[in-house]
Amino acid sequence: MNGDLKYQYARLNVAEKLIAINVVVFLSTLIFVNLFRLPNIVQWFNLPENIGDFILQPWSIVTYSFFHNGLGHIFWNMLMLYFFGRTFLNLFNAKKFLNVYFLGVIVGGLLFMLGYNTIPALLGQNSVLIGASAGVTAVLIFVCTYLPNQTVRLLIIDLKLWHLGVIIVVLDLVRLSTGQNVGGMLSHLGGAALGYVYAKQLTNGTDIGAGFGRFMDSLANIFKKEKKAPMKTVYRNTASKSASNKAVHNTATTIDRKKADKQRKIDAILDKISKSGYESLSKKEKDFLFIAGKED
């Protein structure tokens, strides 16, 4: 059973894995806190508005995004993450998706704290931030900005993605002005700003999340255990060394050429998408882009 779950989890794309983690955290919180009446440790993972409290739990700038305050809260977040995550991953690889998502979470959290420490109407109020909304909004607005002319069906209305993005941001601004869930709306706007800027800069050839991605890779490498291979005696065959080096060089040259050709095709397809929308692609181009995204 455990092996089956690991296999099924391994088959999920990165957006689906995030959804699975969020659902498990949500259900675990319900079971252990409400059913078994265990101490509520969620407060150690929520993002506080007070900067002093935040300094004592700096990890909360990320962990707050894995907790939700109700079924409706997590349902809509995960639904949007599923649909827009799938579109995102048809264009880019998992690493870029995580860059956009978690940078959205971080920027949304920072704007939440900034608002509660600078806006006069919010000064002195106690609040905490939870939910994946900032990261989800970052992915959503990124897609809407990168594929502005892509058409989607919203109930009975066909909308271009840039129209949908504008509607979502305007609704958040309206709710912010009415005082409804101010902290949540601030985090939404932070995520939206990150998604918009990221997509615009990427269109211009600049990946603003590259440094963040390298930082996350370095953190991941810290926790990887180095496996030491057993010592063994190696006998050098000097006669075949030159031939082997030549074969390796030829193989590397062929691989580099294939990678360059593949990247040129991807760039041409992405340029076509930015100008005419995703639907302008042929089936062959869509299939090529999808397979390329999986391989990355």
PDB file of all heavy atoms in Angstrom, residues 235-254:
ATOM      1  N   TYR A 235      42.746  -0.233 -13.562  1.00  0.00           N
ATOM      2  CA  TYR A 235      43.923  -0.373 -14.407  1.00  0.00           C
ATOM      3  C   TYR A 235      43.738   0.454 -15.672  1.00  0.00           C
ATOM      4  O   TYR A 235      42.747   0.301 -16.376  1.00  0.00           O
ATOM      5  CB  TYR A 235      44.146  -1.846 -14.758  1.00  0.00           C
ATOM      6  CG  TYR A 235      44.401  -2.716 -13.541  1.00  0.00           C
ATOM      7  CD1 TYR A 235      43.354  -3.397 -12.939  1.00  0.00           C
ATOM      8  CD2 TYR A 235      45.680  -2.813 -12.994  1.00  0.00           C
ATOM      9  CE1 TYR A 235      43.572  -4.179 -11.812  1.00  0.00           C
ATOM     10  CE2 TYR A 235      45.906  -3.596 -11.868  1.00  0.00           C
ATOM     11  CZ  TYR A 235      44.848  -4.268 -11.281  1.00  0.00           C
ATOM     12  OH  TYR A 235      45.067  -5.030 -10.175  1.00  0.00           O
ATOM     13  N   ARG A 236      44.662   1.342 -15.909  1.00  0.00           N
ATOM     14  CA  ARG A 236      44.556   2.278 -17.027  1.00  0.00           C
ATOM     15  C   ARG A 236      45.050   1.626 -18.313  1.00  0.00           C
ATOM     16  O   ARG A 236      46.125   1.061 -18.370  1.00  0.00           O
ATOM     17  CB  ARG A 236      45.370   3.536 -16.728  1.00  0.00           C
ATOM     18  CG  ARG A 236      45.296   4.579 -17.831  1.00  0.00           C
ATOM     19  CD  ARG A 236      46.069   5.818 -17.445  1.00  0.00           C
ATOM     20  NE  ARG A 236      45.509   6.418 -16.248  1.00  0.00           N
ATOM     21  CZ  ARG A 236      46.059   7.483 -15.649  1.00  0.00           C
ATOM     22  NH1 ARG A 236      47.163   8.017 -16.122  1.00  0.00           N
ATOM     23  NH2 ARG A 236      45.503   7.977 -14.573  1.00  0.00           N
ATOM     24  N   ASN A 237      44.236   1.736 -19.353  1.00  0.00           N
ATOM     25  CA  ASN A 237      44.616   1.229 -20.672  1.00  0.00           C
ATOM     26  C   ASN A 237      45.027   2.431 -21.520  1.00  0.00           C
ATOM     27  O   ASN A 237      44.194   3.125 -22.087  1.00  0.00           O
ATOM     28  CB  ASN A 237      43.437   0.493 -21.322  1.00  0.00           C
ATOM     29  CG  ASN A 237      43.842  -0.196 -22.626  1.00  0.00           C
ATOM     30  OD1 ASN A 237      44.856   0.162 -23.230  1.00  0.00           O
ATOM     31  ND2 ASN A 237      43.040  -1.164 -23.051  1.00  0.00           N
ATOM     32  N   THR A 238      46.317   2.704 -21.549  1.00  0.00           N
ATOM     33  CA  THR A 238      46.796   3.903 -22.243  1.00  0.00           C
ATOM     34  C   THR A 238      46.577   3.830 -23.737  1.00  0.00           C
ATOM     35  O   THR A 238      46.461   4.859 -24.412  1.00  0.00           O
ATOM     36  CB  THR A 238      48.291   4.106 -21.958  1.00  0.00           C
ATOM     37  OG1 THR A 238      49.003   2.924 -22.336  1.00  0.00           O
ATOM     38  CG2 THR A 238      48.522   4.362 -20.475  1.00  0.00           C
ATOM     39  N   ALA A 239      46.485   2.630 -24.273  1.00  0.00           N
ATOM     40  CA  ALA A 239      46.335   2.505 -25.722  1.00  0.00           C
ATOM     41  C   ALA A 239      44.983   2.986 -26.205  1.00  0.00           C
ATOM     42  O   ALA A 239      44.853   3.532 -27.301  1.00  0.00           O
ATOM     43  CB  ALA A 239      46.536   1.028 -26.130  1.00  0.00           C
ATOM     44  N   SER A 240      43.946   2.766 -25.352  1.00  0.00           N
ATOM     45  CA  SER A 240      42.588   3.133 -25.781  1.00  0.00           C
ATOM     46  C   SER A 240      42.153   4.500 -25.264  1.00  0.00           C
ATOM     47  O   SER A 240      41.058   4.950 -25.554  1.00  0.00           O
ATOM     48  CB  SER A 240      41.591   2.070 -25.296  1.00  0.00           C
ATOM     49  OG  SER A 240      41.595   2.026 -23.887  1.00  0.00           O
ATOM     50  N   LYS A 241      43.019   5.144 -24.458  1.00  0.00           N
ATOM     51  CA  LYS A 241      42.633   6.423 -23.852  1.00  0.00           C
ATOM     52  C   LYS A 241      42.338   7.488 -24.894  1.00  0.00           C
ATOM     53  O   LYS A 241      41.347   8.212 -24.815  1.00  0.00           O
ATOM     54  CB  LYS A 241      43.752   6.908 -22.930  1.00  0.00           C
ATOM     55  CG  LYS A 241      43.413   8.207 -22.211  1.00  0.00           C
ATOM     56  CD  LYS A 241      44.532   8.600 -21.269  1.00  0.00           C
ATOM     57  CE  LYS A 241      44.201   9.920 -20.579  1.00  0.00           C
ATOM     58  NZ  LYS A 241      45.291  10.337 -19.668  1.00  0.00           N
ATOM     59  N   SER A 242      43.185   7.617 -25.907  1.00  0.00           N
ATOM     60  CA  SER A 242      43.002   8.636 -26.937  1.00  0.00           C
ATOM     61  C   SER A 242      41.711   8.414 -27.708  1.00  0.00           C
ATOM     62  O   SER A 242      40.951   9.344 -27.970  1.00  0.00           O
ATOM     63  CB  SER A 242      44.198   8.626 -27.889  1.00  0.00           C
ATOM     64  OG  SER A 242      44.006   9.570 -28.930  1.00  0.00           O
ATOM     65  N   ALA A 243      41.443   7.131 -28.051  1.00  0.00           N
ATOM     66  CA  ALA A 243      40.216   6.809 -28.803  1.00  0.00           C
ATOM     67  C   ALA A 243      38.982   7.098 -27.966  1.00  0.00           C
ATOM     68  O   ALA A 243      37.969   7.602 -28.470  1.00  0.00           O
ATOM     69  CB  ALA A 243      40.245   5.343 -29.226  1.00  0.00           C
ATOM     70  N   SER A 244      39.077   6.794 -26.668  1.00  0.00           N
ATOM     71  CA  SER A 244      37.933   7.036 -25.777  1.00  0.00           C
ATOM     72  C   SER A 244      37.647   8.523 -25.653  1.00  0.00           C
ATOM     73  O   SER A 244      36.494   8.967 -25.692  1.00  0.00           O
ATOM     74  CB  SER A 244      38.211   6.448 -24.391  1.00  0.00           C
ATOM     75  OG  SER A 244      38.362   5.046 -24.466  1.00  0.00           O
ATOM     76  N   ASN A 245      38.710   9.315 -25.499  1.00  0.00           N
ATOM     77  CA  ASN A 245      38.530  10.769 -25.393  1.00  0.00           C
ATOM     78  C   ASN A 245      37.888  11.343 -26.644  1.00  0.00           C
ATOM     79  O   ASN A 245      37.038  12.237 -26.579  1.00  0.00           O
ATOM     80  CB  ASN A 245      39.874  11.453 -25.147  1.00  0.00           C
ATOM     81  CG  ASN A 245      40.391  11.196 -23.747  1.00  0.00           C
ATOM     82  OD1 ASN A 245      39.625  10.807 -22.873  1.00  0.00           O
ATOM     83  ND2 ASN A 245      41.686  11.407 -23.539  1.00  0.00           N
ATOM     84  N   LYS A 246      38.286  10.837 -27.792  1.00  0.00           N
ATOM     85  CA  LYS A 246      37.722  11.305 -29.055  1.00  0.00           C
ATOM     86  C   LYS A 246      36.254  10.956 -29.161  1.00  0.00           C
ATOM     87  O   LYS A 246      35.429  11.765 -29.600  1.00  0.00           O
ATOM     88  CB  LYS A 246      38.501  10.697 -30.220  1.00  0.00           C
ATOM     89  CG  LYS A 246      38.058  11.215 -31.583  1.00  0.00           C
ATOM     90  CD  LYS A 246      38.927  10.639 -32.693  1.00  0.00           C
ATOM     91  CE  LYS A 246      38.489  11.187 -34.059  1.00  0.00           C
ATOM     92  NZ  LYS A 246      39.313  10.638 -35.148  1.00  0.00           N
ATOM     93  N   ALA A 247      35.913   9.723 -28.731  1.00  0.00           N
ATOM     94  CA  ALA A 247      34.512   9.293 -28.782  1.00  0.00           C
ATOM     95  C   ALA A 247      33.653  10.142 -27.856  1.00  0.00           C
ATOM     96  O   ALA A 247      32.538  10.536 -28.197  1.00  0.00           O
ATOM     97  CB  ALA A 247      34.409   7.815 -28.401  1.00  0.00           C
ATOM     98  N   VAL A 248      34.180  10.424 -26.649  1.00  0.00           N
ATOM     99  CA  VAL A 248      33.435  11.258 -25.686  1.00  0.00           C
ATOM    100  C   VAL A 248      33.225  12.650 -26.245  1.00  0.00           C
ATOM    101  O   VAL A 248      32.145  13.234 -26.127  1.00  0.00           O
ATOM    102  CB  VAL A 248      34.189  11.318 -24.338  1.00  0.00           C
ATOM    103  CG1 VAL A 248      33.572  12.379 -23.441  1.00  0.00           C
ATOM    104  CG2 VAL A 248      34.160   9.958 -23.648  1.00  0.00           C
ATOM    105  N   HIS A 249      34.264  13.212 -26.859  1.00  0.00           N
ATOM    106  CA  HIS A 249      34.158  14.561 -27.436  1.00  0.00           C
ATOM    107  C   HIS A 249      33.103  14.603 -28.536  1.00  0.00           C
ATOM    108  O   HIS A 249      32.280  15.533 -28.590  1.00  0.00           O
ATOM    109  CB  HIS A 249      35.515  14.983 -27.990  1.00  0.00           C
ATOM    110  CG  HIS A 249      35.474  16.305 -28.703  1.00  0.00           C
ATOM    111  ND1 HIS A 249      35.370  17.502 -28.048  1.00  0.00           N
ATOM    112  CD2 HIS A 249      35.498  16.589 -30.048  1.00  0.00           C
ATOM    113  CE1 HIS A 249      35.344  18.486 -28.941  1.00  0.00           C
ATOM    114  NE2 HIS A 249      35.418  17.961 -30.143  1.00  0.00           N
ATOM    115  N   ASN A 250      33.103  13.596 -29.397  1.00  0.00           N
ATOM    116  CA  ASN A 250      32.117  13.553 -30.485  1.00  0.00           C
ATOM    117  C   ASN A 250      30.698  13.423 -29.945  1.00  0.00           C
ATOM    118  O   ASN A 250      29.764  14.048 -30.438  1.00  0.00           O
ATOM    119  CB  ASN A 250      32.429  12.389 -31.432  1.00  0.00           C
ATOM    120  CG  ASN A 250      33.706  12.615 -32.233  1.00  0.00           C
ATOM    121  OD1 ASN A 250      34.133  13.760 -32.399  1.00  0.00           O
ATOM    122  ND2 ASN A 250      34.316  11.538 -32.711  1.00  0.00           N
ATOM    123  N   THR A 251      30.550  12.580 -28.913  1.00  0.00           N
ATOM    124  CA  THR A 251      29.227  12.399 -28.309  1.00  0.00           C
ATOM    125  C   THR A 251      28.736  13.689 -27.673  1.00  0.00           C
ATOM    126  O   THR A 251      27.581  14.082 -27.827  1.00  0.00           O
ATOM    127  CB  THR A 251      29.282  11.290 -27.238  1.00  0.00           C
ATOM    128  OG1 THR A 251      29.709  10.078 -27.852  1.00  0.00           O
ATOM    129  CG2 THR A 251      27.905  11.083 -26.610  1.00  0.00           C
ATOM    130  N   ALA A 252      29.629  14.369 -26.940  1.00  0.00           N
ATOM    131  CA  ALA A 252      29.256  15.629 -26.290  1.00  0.00           C
ATOM    132  C   ALA A 252      28.869  16.681 -27.311  1.00  0.00           C
ATOM    133  O   ALA A 252      27.911  17.439 -27.116  1.00  0.00           O
ATOM    134  CB  ALA A 252      30.415  16.131 -25.426  1.00  0.00           C
ATOM    135  N   THR A 253      29.613  16.736 -28.422  1.00  0.00           N
ATOM    136  CA  THR A 253      29.300  17.704 -29.473  1.00  0.00           C
ATOM    137  C   THR A 253      27.922  17.440 -30.069  1.00  0.00           C
ATOM    138  O   THR A 253      27.140  18.366 -30.310  1.00  0.00           O
ATOM    139  CB  THR A 253      30.363  17.635 -30.591  1.00  0.00           C
ATOM    140  OG1 THR A 253      31.647  17.892 -30.023  1.00  0.00           O
ATOM    141  CG2 THR A 253      30.061  18.656 -31.675  1.00  0.00           C
ATOM    142  N   THR A 254      27.602  16.155 -30.287  1.00  0.00           N
ATOM    143  CA  THR A 254      26.289  15.795 -30.839  1.00  0.00           C
ATOM    144  C   THR A 254      25.166  16.170 -29.886  1.00  0.00           C
ATOM    145  O   THR A 254      24.129  16.711 -30.291  1.00  0.00           O
ATOM    146  CB  THR A 254      26.245  14.274 -31.116  1.00  0.00           C
ATOM    147  OG1 THR A 254      27.289  13.936 -32.019  1.00  0.00           O
ATOM    148  CG2 THR A 254      24.898  13.887 -31.706  1.00  0.00           C
TER     149      THR A 254
END
